[in-house]
Amino acid sequence: MITLTDFLIVSAALFCIGLYMIITKHNAIQILIGIELMLNAAILNLVAFGKFDKIANGGQVFALFAIVLAAATTAVALAIILNVYKKYRTIDPGKIDGLKD
């Protein structure tokens, strides 16, 4: 039987991997993947805690909203990345300096 602790360990590992990707990568798409991993860790926590709430199922409802929000955020972020690439010919956030004063 999978316990709540198992879910939390997997979620913490996903969150740490996502945070590591955000800190170390210099590619906008890899940073976006790191953010998605962190969001998936949060969604896993919501579902894990919702599993033990037999009456209201609040965790699953919040997880559904989080998944929809993550999908919309990813679509907007990819559109921004494509427009930035079209203008600067790079997706390295450190090399994009056209918006600075």
Side-chain angles (χ1 to χ4, degrees):
M1 174 106 187
I2 300 175
T3 62
L4 180 62
T5 307
D6 297 330
F7 284 115
L8 295 179
I9 289 171
V10 171
S11 178
L14 275 175
F15 191 86
C16 290
I17 292 169
L19 185 63
Y20 176 76
M21 285 184 72
I22 289 173
I23 292 172
T24 61
K25 299 300 180 186
H26 296 289
N27 186 338
I29 293 177
Q30 291 173 344
I31 291 172
L32 185 62
I33 291 171
I35 292 170
E36 287 296 319
L37 281 174
M38 292 172 68
L39 282 172
N40 285 333
I43 291 169
L44 181 61
N45 274 338
L46 289 171
V47 172
F49 284 116
K51 178 183 175 188
F52 295 99
D53 182 19
K54 301 292 183 191
I55 298 169
N57 289 329
Q60 281 84 2
V61 173
F62 283 125
L64 181 63
F65 285 128
I67 290 169
V68 170
L69 181 66
T73 305
T74 303
V76 170
L78 284 175
I80 291 170
I81 289 170
L82 287 174
N83 284 331
V84 166
Y85 180 76
K86 191 186 308 183
K87 181 172 181 160
Y88 296 103
R89 294 289 181 215
T90 184
I91 54 175
D92 184 4
K95 293 181 181 177
I96 299 169
D97 59 357
L99 298 176
K100 293 182 182 178
D101 288 330

